[in-house]
Amino acid sequence: MKNNKRIYLSSPHMSGNEQKYIQDAFETNWIAPLGPNVDAFEEELASYVGMKGAAAVSSGTAAIHLALRLLDVKKDDTVFCSSLTFIASANPIAYLGAKPVFIDSEPETWNMSPQALERALTDAVHSGNIPKAVIVVNLYGQSAKMDEILTLCNRYGVPVIEDAAESLGSFYKGKASGTFGRFGIYSFNGNKIITTSGGGMLVSDDVEALAKARFLATQAQDPAPHYQHSNVGYNYRMSNILAGVGRAQLEVLENRVEARRAVFDRYYHELVSISGITFMPELENTYSNRWLTACTIDKERTGISVQELIEILSEENIEARPVWKPLHMQPLFADADFYAHSESENVSEQLFQTGICLPSGSNMNEEDLSRVINSIRNSLKVEV
Ligand SMILES: *Cc1c(COP(=O)(O)O)cnc(C)c1O
């Protein structure tokens, strides 16, 4: 079995057109810095999601860092953030010396719980410590309950940063994921739905703020004939070569979303009838890119834990992963406050105990899918 081809969780899927844009860059010697592919990639992405502008940067993490800077987040400020997410959502809070407060998930989207957010905001108002920003994550492609979250944040005038690193190509009530907050961010890391090998994008309707983001991302160089700097800047811009890869990838985004949704549908139809397996829901009026197919495994009913299943799949050369370990459980953030969904329900911890992400690449073929499905069926200690 070990000689089977390895099936990855989510591997890069090139369109074949990337070379054309890279070739253009070589022919005009626009290797770096910046260049026409960067400008075009920004315009094409902004227009696809329906925002006024975009700034292409070296990673999604860099985009979050810039968004926090643009919102003037400083040392000892408070920033709220979804707890059930990848560490990159919150690392930039730490870069700025600010304090994260983590908000639990709710069961219908696995994303930020509006009722936990409301309690956190009420407490923040009472203690005179209103957050400078709220970072809302759209996990595995599923949009958070943006209407409820925005209503609460608007009530207290708190700007929202939408971490749409995993949800490019998803929609919430007909509007593109990543376009709901003051700023949205996308990632083009190698495992994301489209990739530039590494990269990110900051989007906004505030074009002045985006101009400032580009300034901060190029070492904050003041307009002067000599090298002059009055602000701390970063080297965060995307290269013209990688932006070329991004342009070709954006052309096939919809295709990639359809393929990932088909992967989800296949798992769903093959496994949904098994008692103890529950799939991540898709909230009504939302369209998920199904970046990763995620489900929960009830050990009592399936006879197997998530850890055991991941090990068995790994022996078959299949990569599966647990869902993100909530950030409020991370040693790095041991001192941070956390607001659970309710007094009796800690949804993110529950999902962490029982959740698994299955291989979901848009380049998986029929044989790959059958292999994963059969391995899962064979590993369950119940009649299926
Ligand atoms: C991938 C990811 C990021 C960071 O993106 P990079 O481009 O890898 O820096 C941020 N947030 C979430 C939720 C992610 O999954």
Side-chain angles (χ1 to χ4, degrees), residues 19-311:
Q19 294 292 344
K20 186 187 89 181
Y21 292 101
I22 294 172
Q23 193 62 36
D24 285 350
F26 271 75
E27 274 163 15
T28 54
N29 203 33
W30 271 114
I31 307 301
L34 301 168
N37 277 335
V38 175
D39 298 343
F41 188 34
E42 289 179 344
E43 277 164 33
E44 287 157 5
L45 188 114
S47 131
Y48 174 79
V49 298
M51 280 298 234
K52 289 207 178 114
V57 291
S58 52
S59 69
T61 312
I64 298 171
H65 192 188
L66 290 169
L68 291 172
R69 271 292 300 272
L70 293 168
L71 294 173
D72 198 33
V73 172
K74 293 199 185 79
K75 191 170 181 312
D76 297 329
D77 283 339
T78 300
V79 175
F80 289 3
C81 183
S82 304
S83 188
L84 188 60
T85 180
F86 181 45
I87 191 74
S89 302
N91 264 337
I93 303 172
Y95 299 166
L96 293 165
K99 292 191 187 116
V101 170
F102 294 110
I103 312 293
D104 200 9
S105 300
E106 54 80 29
E108 286 183 321
T109 62
W110 295 18
N111 286 310
M112 187 178 279
S113 158
Q115 66 188 57
L117 174 64
E118 180 159 31
R119 290 205 321 281
L121 282 169
T122 310
D123 282 359
V125 170
H126 285 150
S127 64
N129 201 7
I130 301 228
K132 278 274 185 79
V134 175
I135 300 174
V136 182
V137 178
N138 302 308
L139 206 64
Y140 306 136
Q142 169 60 56
S143 296
K145 293 187 168 176
M146 292 313 297
D147 281 349
E148 290 86 340
I149 290 168
L150 286 171
T151 301
L152 287 165
C153 290
N154 290 340
R155 185 186 299 164
Y156 301 104
V158 182
V160 167
I161 298 170
E162 202 183 353
D163 179 348
E166 302 177 2
S167 63
L168 178 60
S170 300
F171 291 83
Y172 176 89
K173 301 191 177 173
K175 194 170 179 275
S177 183
T179 63
F180 288 83
R182 181 88 59 87
F183 297 104
I185 76 97
Y186 301 107
S187 165
F188 311 114
N189 190 24
N191 61 356
K192 296 291 168 23
I193 192 148
I194 60 171
T195 182
T196 58
S197 77
M201 194 76 86
L202 178 68
V203 296
S204 182
D205 278 334
D206 184 344
V207 288
E208 268 173 44
L210 290 173
K212 187 163 179 215
R214 293 188 190 95
F215 162 80
L216 290 172
T218 43
Q219 308 288 14
Q221 192 164 325
D222 294 338
H226 46 272
Y227 290 100
Q228 179 167 302
H229 306 269
S230 331
N231 292 280
V232 175
Y234 314 95
N235 181 4
Y236 272 172
R237 283 292 257 163
M238 182 182 277
S239 88
N240 197 50
I241 306 259
L242 299 190
V245 177
R247 292 182 72 190
Q249 288 272 290
L250 190 58
E251 288 170 357
V252 293
L253 172 61
E254 277 170 21
N255 189 289
R256 300 296 184 255
V257 173
E258 280 165 29
R260 297 228 181 207
R261 288 181 63 90
V263 167
F264 172 87
D265 286 344
R266 181 73 199 285
Y267 283 129
Y268 185 85
H269 287 113
E270 299 279 355
L271 302 172
V272 72
S273 59
I274 298 172
S275 154
I277 297 190
T278 310
F279 285 86
M280 182 182 192
E282 186 173 37
L283 186 71
E284 206 183 323
N285 265 321
T286 66
Y287 179 80
S288 170
N289 67 12
R290 292 288 187 193
W291 172 55
L292 294 184
T293 291
C295 58
T296 57
I297 310 276
D298 178 346
K299 189 178 174 179
E300 305 272 283
R301 286 192 281 166
T302 59
I304 188 171
S305 71
V306 166
Q307 288 73 18
E308 287 163 335
L309 180 55
I310 289 173
E311 273 163 38

Side-chain angles (χ1 to χ4, degrees), residues 100 354 359 379:
T354 58
S379 66

